[in-house]
Amino acid sequence: MQSIPFAASMTGAIRKLDPRQQWRNPVMFIVWVGAAFTTALAIAEPFLGGPADSGGTVIPASFTWAIAVWLWLTVLFANLAEAVAEGRGKAQAETLRQTRTSTVAHRIDAYDAGTDPAAERVGTTDVSSADLTLGDVVTVAAGELIPGDGDIVSGIASVDESAITGESAPVIRESGGDRSAVTGGTRVLSDRIVVRITSKPGETFVDRMIALVEGASRQKTPNEIALSILLASLSIVFVVVALTLNPIASYAAKPVSITVLIALLVCLIPTTIGALLSAIGIAGMDRLVQHNVLAMSGRAVEAAGDVTTLLLDKTGTITYGNRRASEFVRMAGVRDQDLVRAAALSSLADPTPEGVSIVELARLEGVDVEAQAADSTRGEIVPFTAQTRMSGLDLPDGARIRKGAGSAVTAWLGDQGAPVSPAQLAELEEATSRVSQSGGTPLVVAVMDAPDREQGRQAGRVLGVVHLKDVVKEGLSDRFAELRAMGIRTVMVTGDNPLTAAAIAREAGVDDFLAEATPEQKLAYIRREQEGGNLVAMTGDGTNDAPALAQADVGVAMNTGTSAAKEAGNMVDLDSDPTKLIDVVRIGKQLLITRGALTTFSISNDIAKYFAIIPAMFMGVFPGLGVLNIMGLHSPASAVLSAIVFNAVVIVLLVPLALRGVKYRPANASSTLGRNLLVYGLGGIVAPFVGIWLIDLVVRLIPGF
């Protein structure tokens, strides 16, 4: 996080003293009006014969000026809290703005789907990236910046997105999938791609990021608006109270001075939370940006704190996303080394993660993979196809190895004149069923041996099964337990069959799962949860996730995903780490708890200020009120000034807490409320008693007080 110069923050705070900005915060606007009125009184007092008595007590000549100064400081400190929060966003925005340089775009004059992205630029016009419009098609070669947000319509390339995400490792972007979206300002490192622009000038992803982190387009959330209304209502109530106190004192012929009444009003209205409310909201979005998550609105951050149901994709979120070989299950009468060798040979030329994991497992089983590689290079590779559902290797001696779906492999053996016997078929079905029930995927390995030189026939047989499984990420079960402690129900969403989904859900520790999920089923599930009064969060990256992302209360789209997904969600994870949704929920809850804790503190510390000012105001009218001066404050003037000073200083002391947030611990609502009342409620009562008393010890040293 970048540090913000104090001078810049103070300049912003002073600029916010403009009443046209100040009135947006009703509580602090009342303080602003009180400061202006007290300043006018201080200027007028010499011409009116000096300060009047208050409640029968002589007021020092410097009292009104002292109150005016500290009232202005109270407003300034409140503005400073907001300016510091905004300043952090502006510093991040400046870093982003550096990526939004105007680049040269090679716009294709007449693009058709047959355009070859590897061809030289023929039929292109060089234009500024600022001149690109929605729907334009551009070609971007290695070493060039992508001129605007778009989707790759042809080609595949390695892209450096460090300017946006901060991650130095390049990523692969390609057409026709869920990783086709590219961001303007990122750099192509290899190959050439054709990109269709999906944003208008000034409305790119980076432009929106800049506006959001600067706070320029930040709207108050519903809870923030409701709290603002509550604070404004309390302020109005205390304005009425303050206006009625002077007529009461006048009956005793000892009216209270207007300066003291203004001081009372400022101390009784909830100035602490009123000063910090905006900073808390800005800081919540800022914490998300620090986690490389961009919230499209403060409402989304707030909703994350109230989430009760969390939907997570299985692949890439709960599991690593690629199936891995975990076990070789041999058939009766087959030697272990024969199965492992055949599986390794058929996988040496298989570049898929599954093929690589089979080779790695074979190496762990003691197979000399390097020696087998020499045999594989002399054979003919049989690639996997959707039609055959198999892959394999034909060796020079005539032996043939196949691995794939059980039904496809057994059918192949039958076609080769070596049908599987009923006994072996039953054994194979038992093995594949056992793997499937454990949540894995069975991959059957079979071989047609080299032809017998004497008989000229080939013998075929099933060697065994490779157990492929989705590996659950380490530590997820503990994180799901934390979410359960927060009162959040976790649901795994997967396209797998119910049997496989149940096994993985059990291993991961989620509360429920949705198997064989289609886009319509995801949408229907979210709606059912919402109709039951739950707030739902979901993560996704594909176009098929867009309806569910739009329906969810918190929809986190992956930056690697399609434009449709990013438009539908109300948050974008720049790192494309689906598990970060858990951190989003934690930050949202931290925002709500911080706001609640500081509101509790603000209202509680008014109690202590009441005991400081009320006795000071009316001891001259009603001497019996002296028993309420439990802090033993020196004089009415020192009591009032000490309370005003504490009221201003406490804002500054709480700014770091507002920006950092109250530490969140997973717990139910009642225990969280109890902790807040104990720490911030009781602390809000005790701290002002101590603070005002200490300040009074200093104020009493000032002549006249």
Side-chain angles (χ1 to χ4, degrees):
M1 184 181 66
Q2 301 187 33
S3 60
I4 311 302
F6 176 78
S9 298
M10 184 57 72
T11 301
I14 294 173
R15 191 179 299 115
K16 288 177 179 291
L17 289 174
D18 185 337
R20 291 171 297 182
Q21 294 191 46
Q22 204 66 58
W23 73 270
R24 297 190 181 98
N25 187 335
V27 176
M28 299 315 300
F29 183 65
I30 291 175
V31 181
W32 187 95
V33 171
F37 195 77
T38 306
T39 303
L41 287 177
I43 295 172
E45 276 181 353
F47 304 100
L48 299 176
D53 292 346
S54 179
T57 304
V58 178
I59 298 297
S62 58
F63 176 78
T64 305
W65 273 113
I67 295 296
V69 168
W70 279 101
L71 289 180
W72 283 119
L73 287 175
T74 302
V75 179
L76 187 65
F77 292 159
N79 292 344
L80 183 63
E82 187 172 1
V84 169
E86 290 177 350
R88 291 164 64 173
K90 285 182 170 63
Q92 292 168 332
E94 188 57 36
T95 302
L96 293 171
R97 192 173 281 109
Q98 295 172 6
T99 70
R100 197 187 56 179
T101 55
S102 181
T103 59
V104 175
H106 311 297
R107 185 172 59 194
I108 299 176
D109 297 328
Y111 174 75
D112 60 64
T115 300
D116 181 7
E120 293 299 324
R121 295 191 200 96
V122 177
T124 65
T125 301
D126 289 352
V127 299
S128 169
S129 60
D131 296 330
L132 292 174
T133 59
L134 186 67
D136 281 348
V137 179
V138 299
T139 176
V140 189
E144 296 178 345
L145 289 174
I146 298 173
D149 295 354
D151 289 327
I152 299 176
V153 294
S154 181
I156 181 172
S158 175
V159 180
D160 177 11
E161 295 186 340
S162 59
I164 302 297
T165 66
E167 298 293 331
S168 57
V171 294
I172 301 299
R173 295 287 178 264
E174 59 183 323
S175 61
D178 290 343
R179 296 180 177 269
S180 61
V182 290
T183 305
T186 57
R187 187 178 299 276
V188 173
L189 299 179
S190 68
D191 303 291
R192 187 189 300 271
I193 53 176
V194 174
V195 177
R196 176 175 283 111
I197 301 299
T198 58
S199 61
K200 298 178 181 179
E203 297 181 5
T204 66
F205 187 61
V206 174
D207 286 320
R208 282 186 289 158
M209 287 176 66
I210 291 171
L212 287 165
V213 299
E214 281 185 327
S217 60
R218 176 183 175 271
Q219 300 296 319
K220 287 187 175 182
T221 64
N223 279 348
E224 198 172 348
I225 292 172
L227 186 54
S228 296
I229 293 173
L230 173 63
L231 298 181
S233 301
L234 288 175
S235 300
I236 293 172
V237 169
F238 284 119
V239 167
V240 174
V241 169
L243 290 176
T244 57
L245 287 177
N246 211 24
I248 294 174
S250 297
Y251 280 109
K254 296 177 180 179
V256 179
S257 76
I258 295 177
T259 301
V260 173
L261 286 174
I262 292 174
L264 172 68
L265 173 63
V266 170
C267 286
L268 292 185
I269 63 176
T271 51
T272 306
I273 185 61
L276 299 174
L277 183 60
S278 179
I280 293 169
I282 295 172
M285 295 184 70
D286 175 69
R287 281 193 292 275
L288 274 181
V289 172
Q290 291 174 34
H291 282 73
N292 265 4
V293 177
L294 177 66
M296 299 303 181
S297 69
R299 181 190 296 263
V301 185
E302 192 172 86
D306 287 328
V307 162
T308 54
T309 303
L310 188 60
L311 270 64
L312 304 104
D313 279 332
K314 182 205 76 173
T315 305
T317 304
I318 293 175
T319 66
Y320 280 102
N322 298 316
R323 296 173 301 173
R324 299 180 181 182
S326 62
E327 181 187 9
F328 294 114
V329 182
R330 65 180 179 83
M331 304 296 288
V334 176
R335 296 184 304 172
D336 287 336
Q337 58 265 37
D338 290 341
L339 169 60
V340 177
R341 177 180 179 275
L345 276 172
S346 63
S347 302
L348 282 168
D350 184 353
T352 65
E354 292 88 348
V356 172
S357 70
I358 291 174
V359 173
E360 291 176 351
L361 184 60
R363 184 179 285 112
L364 292 175
E365 294 284 339
V367 171
D368 188 349
V369 175
E370 285 67 27
Q372 303 297 332
D375 292 339
S376 68
T377 56
R378 294 194 298 268
E380 182 181 349
I381 298 170
V382 179
F384 176 87
T385 66
Q387 289 74 30
T388 63
R389 295 188 297 154
M390 295 185 301
S391 63
L393 181 70
D394 292 343
L395 295 171
D397 62 2
R400 288 173 289 170
I401 304 170
R402 294 293 184 271
K403 72 174 191 294
S407 58
V409 171
T410 54
W412 173 76
L413 286 172
D415 293 341
Q416 302 304 311
V420 181
S421 66
Q424 194 176 42
L425 188 60
E427 182 185 3
L428 178 63
E429 288 179 350
E430 181 184 353
T432 55
S433 176
R434 188 168 61 250
V435 170
S436 297
Q437 288 178 358
S438 68
T441 301
L443 201 62
V444 176
V445 180
V447 63
M448 292 293 295
D449 294 328
D452 187 290
R453 292 177 182 266
E454 296 180 0
Q455 300 181 5
R457 294 187 305 121
Q458 282 184 284
R461 55 200 171 117
V462 175
L463 299 179
V465 176
V466 179
H467 182 174
L468 297 178
K469 65 176 295 186
D470 283 320
V471 180
V472 175
K473 294 180 178 179
E474 295 84 359
L476 270 189
S477 59
D478 293 337
R479 302 196 74 180
F480 290 146
E482 289 181 22
L483 288 170
R484 202 170 293 113
M486 299 179 195
I488 297 174
R489 179 167 160 269
T490 53
V491 180
M492 182 185 76
V493 181
T494 177
D496 288 338
N497 62 72
L499 197 63
T500 301
I504 296 175
R506 190 164 49 249
E507 182 180 354
V510 295
D511 299 311
D512 199 0
F513 64 88
L514 181 63
E516 298 177 342
T518 64
E520 293 78 14
Q521 289 172 326
K522 294 177 188 177
L523 187 61
Y525 189 94
I526 292 174
R527 285 175 174 167
R528 285 198 303 272
E529 288 289 320
Q530 291 171 332
E531 288 170 0
N534 295 314
L535 264 69
V536 182
M538 180 190 169
T539 179
D541 58 3
T543 301
N544 63 338
D545 292 323
L549 286 170
Q551 181 67 35
D553 300 283
V554 179
V556 182
M558 301 297 101
N559 191 40
T560 56
T562 62
S563 296
K566 290 196 284 188
E567 288 294 332
N570 49 25
M571 291 187 186
V572 177
D573 178 12
L574 303 181
D575 293 333
S576 300
D577 176 9
T579 61
K580 201 180 290 183
L581 189 56
I582 299 172
D583 295 320
V584 170
V585 171
R586 187 182 299 275
I587 291 171
K589 286 189 175 295
Q590 186 185 37
L591 170 65
L592 294 178
I593 289 174
T594 301
R595 188 181 294 156
L598 292 183
T599 300
T600 302
F601 182 90
S602 178
I603 294 175
S604 296
N605 71 23
D606 288 340
I607 298 174
K609 290 180 284 188
Y610 169 88
F611 278 96
I613 293 184
I614 293 297
M617 288 177 59
F618 290 103
M619 276 192 298
V621 181
F622 307 108
L625 289 177
V627 296
L628 295 179
N629 186 18
I630 58 179
M631 287 178 273
L633 301 180
H634 178 63
S635 67
S638 70
V640 173
L641 182 58
S642 298
I644 285 292
V645 171
F646 175 84
N647 196 63
V649 171
V650 74
I651 293 173
V652 178
L653 297 178
L654 290 176
V655 167
L657 181 62
L659 298 180
R660 185 180 66 252
V662 173
K663 186 175 181 180
Y664 173 70
R665 299 178 182 86
N668 56 41
S670 59
S671 60
T672 299
L673 177 61
R675 188 177 70 248
N676 271 3
L677 289 176
L678 179 63
V679 176
Y680 296 97
L682 184 60
I685 295 174
V686 173
F689 275 96
V690 176
I692 292 173
W693 177 72
L694 291 174
I695 294 170
D696 181 73
L697 293 179
V698 177
V699 172
R700 69 177 62 184
L701 300 177
I702 302 174
F705 283 88

